[in-house]
Amino acid sequence: MRTWRCWSIIRHMGEASFRSRRPGLESAITTTRETVMRIDEMIAAVQQELGVEVDGKAGPQTWGAIYERLVKKEIDGQKPCDALALVDSRSEKVIATLLPEVRPIARMLVQKASAAGIAIKIISGLRTYEEQNALYAQGRSAPGNIVTNARGGYSNHNFGIAFDVGVFEGNRYLPDSPKYKAVGALGVDLGLEWGGSWKTIVDQPHFQLRPTWAAGITEKQMLAELRSRHDSGQPVFA
């Protein structure tokens, strides 16, 4: 079943509830029977009804909640959004370093890329401040080429919300490939931010999951809050 047809089938689950709680989108929802509904509005309406984060992006949390509502509550004792099949061992080793909220989305990106005929692996995840500082020193006070402009505490990798992918053909890693743009589009569709869309330093292998509280603030402001939460022990996604 195509994704659009699937959303057409389930959209009735959230229209009435979403209309009453999000009046700003009432006109868009009301006109669905007369014209059409944007896919992000349709997804947002379903998310509101399901009680998951409303962002208009159909990631594993949304699909897991739909599966739980329509099919069954658990898969082998786990919530559906936590029961995604594992991917390759190299990726899983890196995924294990990410925050729990990010892990299923990283797995889903690998799976969606594979379904599109693109082999990717998650090749970089969490870095400590010390590891980030060592990477920053490369090409400056240490041998090698400059690979980052971020010191420890100034990279989203330091907080478990960011990861890098690599495109592969067989066992051969492709540092440059047009396939990164295709993977970027898949990641954005899952609700990730993609480094390939940045205006200053373009980083096509990079993906990150912005917390809800960081919506509408700058990257600099988000990183400052992440450092504060890191130092105080406060959860990133609380």
Side-chain angles (χ1 to χ4, degrees), residues 99 144 156 166:
L99 291 180
N156 287 297

Side-chain angles (χ1 to χ4, degrees), residues 102-150:
V102 186
R103 294 171 194 165
I105 305 179
R107 290 190 182 101
M108 196 168 185
L109 181 59
V110 175
Q111 294 169 3
K112 284 178 72 70
S114 177
I118 304 172
I120 66 169
K121 295 181 181 181
I122 312 296
I123 60 176
S124 180
L126 176 68
R127 302 184 199 123
T128 65
Y129 282 17
E130 293 75 17
E131 290 169 335
Q132 187 69 38
N133 283 329
L135 203 61
Y136 179 82
Q138 187 174 315
R140 295 180 173 90
S141 58
N145 298 319
I146 292 178
V147 293
T148 182
N149 290 320

Side-chain angles (χ1 to χ4, degrees), residues 49-63:
E49 175 66 17
L50 291 170
V52 299
E53 181 181 338
V54 178
D55 61 2
K57 305 289 186 180
Q61 184 186 43
T62 300
W63 282 114

